């Protein structure tokens, strides 16, 4: 769950998600629209259209919470342990977004 995820310390978080593709964005880019975050600032999705479709079909989670709002803005409140956001595409594809700065 989202609460369990937030309770993990950094070492445990990184151990659990070892080998997961990681993308980096700058803290100064926040707040950032979810479609830009997923298709422009990272390559989690190859296009905004594909990201939009997956979000609208309830196939995307942010920090283990389903996200269905394509106008959502990534912000400081989404960051776990001061520097990570966990993105999940479908059931099995996880990605870490590391926040720098």
């Amino acid at each position: 769950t989202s609460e369990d995820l937030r309770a993990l310390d950094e070492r445990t978080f990184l151990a659990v998600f070892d080998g997961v593709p990681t993308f980096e964005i700058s803290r100064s880019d926040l707040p950032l629209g979810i479609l830009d975050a997923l298709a422009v600032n990272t390559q989690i999705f190859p296009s905004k259209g594909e990201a939009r479709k997956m979000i609208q079909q309830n196939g995307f989670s942010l920090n283990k919470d389903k996200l269905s709002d394509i106008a959502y803005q990534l912000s400081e409140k989404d960051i776990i342990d001061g520097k990570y956001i966990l993105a999940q595409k479908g059931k099995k594809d996880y990605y870490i977004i590391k926040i720098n700065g």
Side-chain angles (χ1 to χ4, degrees):
T1 66
S2 177
E3 292 82 33
D4 293 336
L5 192 63
R6 289 182 182 279
L8 297 177
D9 61 51
E10 181 177 6
R11 188 177 339 154
T12 307
F13 177 87
L14 293 175
V16 168
F17 296 103
D18 185 40
V20 169
T22 301
F23 297 98
E24 298 186 8
I25 60 175
S26 174
R27 192 174 301 270
S28 64
D29 290 339
L30 300 177
L32 180 64
I34 192 68
L35 298 179
D36 283 330
L38 298 175
V40 177
N41 295 66
T42 69
Q43 287 73 48
I44 293 173
F45 287 94
S47 69
K48 287 184 182 183
E50 196 169 315
R52 180 183 300 112
K53 193 182 309 178
M54 185 72 104
I55 291 169
Q56 288 172 330
Q57 293 171 350
N58 248 356
F60 180 78
S61 296
L62 194 65
N63 296 331
K64 297 301 249 172
D65 290 327
K66 286 283 184 205
L67 182 70
S68 57
D69 179 8
I70 59 169
Y72 188 82
Q73 297 280 314
L74 277 185
S75 68
E76 291 282 338
K77 68 180 172 44
D78 297 308
I79 302 173
I80 296 170
D81 203 30
K83 59 182 143 193
Y84 301 105
I85 295 173
L86 182 68
Q88 182 181 357
K89 179 168 80 171
K91 290 191 187 307
K92 297 181 181 172
D93 293 333
Y94 288 93
Y95 303 87
I96 293 172
I97 301 172
K98 185 175 180 188
I99 308 301
N100 292 325

